[in-house]
Amino acid sequence: DTEVTQTPKHLVMGMTNKKSLKCEQHMGHRAMYWYKQKAKKPPELMFVYSYEKLSINESVPSRFSPECPNSSLLNLHLHALQPEDSALYLCASSQPIERDTEAFFGQGTRLTVV
Amino acid sequence: GQNIDQPTEMTATEGAIVQINCTYQTSGFNGLFWYQQHAGEAPTFLSYNVLDGLEEKGRFSSFLSRSKGYSYLLLKELQMKDSASYLCADYTGRRALTFGSGTRLQVQP
């Protein structure tokens, strides 16, 4: 199983809503990532979890709150988002980040904030 | 990762060969990745180079020169389905994969 599964695939939310994005992998990877991607731009790193602990936060606004409940799951909690937060949110996983190995990406959640 | 440079766009003809170049900052370099991303889809891994030279995988090959901070992705026998963005990426200076700006390749009949 080399899949990273993200749900939902599409999400429309209002600026006062609270929603969560979910990501799951069963490859035994101990590094998991959230990336944000705007149209015609490369993925931009948001957060990195290593062994279920937050290791990198790329100065992301607090309206984005990551959570790693266990080694297979990664969530991104959303609250009071702005229209400019509309983007494709990609989850990825890889072997422990002490080793430079390929990252596997999920299909992403297409988020629209209205 | 933050100093990775690639051309923004390229156009090539079906059946031809195209080379997509990537330059990166050599300080702390450990290895270079190439990913393919079709519009609206996830990036998919193409290749990883850590030693100098050419790595061949079917129609795709990737080259690395560590002393020059230079890599390229070579696509042979281009097909229409190869129209996509090609992303150069590394772990340099970060403990996470960070991407260059990407090259949008358009394959024409």
Side-chain angles (χ1 to χ4, degrees):
Chain A
D1 181 5
T2 58
E3 280 195 356
V4 176
T5 303
Q6 289 188 244
T7 55
K9 287 187 168 45
H10 300 275
L11 178 63
V12 179
M13 61 184 290
M15 290 187 284
T16 59
N17 291 160
K18 285 185 180 181
K19 296 287 185 183
S20 296
L21 309 185
K22 298 186 182 300
C23 175
E24 188 169 3
Q25 57 88 15
H26 296 287
M27 293 178 277
H29 290 167
R30 300 308 295 275
M32 296 187 76
Y33 313 82
W34 281 113
Y35 287 83
K36 173 182 177 180
Q37 187 173 27
K38 303 282 273 185
K40 297 187 177 182
K41 297 289 186 183
E44 293 181 5
L45 185 68
M46 299 175 72
F47 301 105
V48 180
Y49 273 82
S50 177
Y51 297 97
E52 296 86 70
K53 294 193 188 313
L54 184 65
S55 62
I56 296 177
N57 176 340
E58 287 288 273
S59 302
V60 179
S62 60
R63 57 186 185 269
F64 295 91
S65 175
E67 179 196 19
C68 189
N70 60 55
S71 61
S72 298
L73 296 174
L74 185 67
N75 299 323
L76 186 63
H77 303 298
L78 314 173
H79 173 55
L81 294 194
Q82 302 297 311
E84 58 265 29
D85 297 321
S86 298
L88 181 67
Y89 288 85
L90 292 163
C91 173
S93 71
S94 71
Q95 295 291 346
I97 53 178
E98 294 80 16
R99 299 161 53 184
D100 289 355
T101 62
E102 67 179 281
F104 292 81
F105 285 81
Q107 291 296 312
T109 294
R110 175 75 59 189
L111 174 68
T112 303
V113 181
V114 296
Chain B
Q2 294 178 353
N3 293 311
I4 295 178
D5 290 317
Q6 306 177 234
T8 303
E9 291 186 351
M10 298 184 72
T11 302
T13 304
E14 192 175 13
I17 298 173
V18 71
Q19 178 175 313
I20 302 174
N21 296 325
C22 170
T23 58
Y24 60 89
Q25 186 174 337
T26 57
S27 174
F29 175 77
N30 288 314
L32 200 90
F33 295 80
W34 283 96
Y35 279 77
Q36 179 192 58
Q37 186 177 27
H38 287 97
E41 297 184 9
T44 55
F45 171 77
L46 290 177
S47 68
Y48 173 54
N49 293 69
V50 65
L51 299 176
D52 288 351
L54 189 67
E55 297 271 346
E56 297 188 68
K57 279 187 182 181
R59 293 190 300 114
F60 292 8
S61 302
S62 57
F63 171 84
L64 180 69
S65 169
R66 290 176 297 174
S67 61
K68 295 181 180 178
Y70 168 68
S71 173
Y72 67 73
L73 182 69
L74 193 70
L75 290 73
K76 303 176 185 175
E77 301 170 14
L78 279 172
Q79 301 175 9
M80 298 300 291
K81 67 178 182 180
D82 297 329
S83 294
S85 288
Y86 291 86
L87 301 159
C88 185
D90 69 14
Y91 281 92
T92 302
R94 305 305 316 274
R95 299 320 300 160
L97 196 63
T98 48
F99 293 91
S101 56
T103 299
R104 287 192 299 280
L105 173 66
Q106 181 68 44
V107 180
Q108 297 179 339

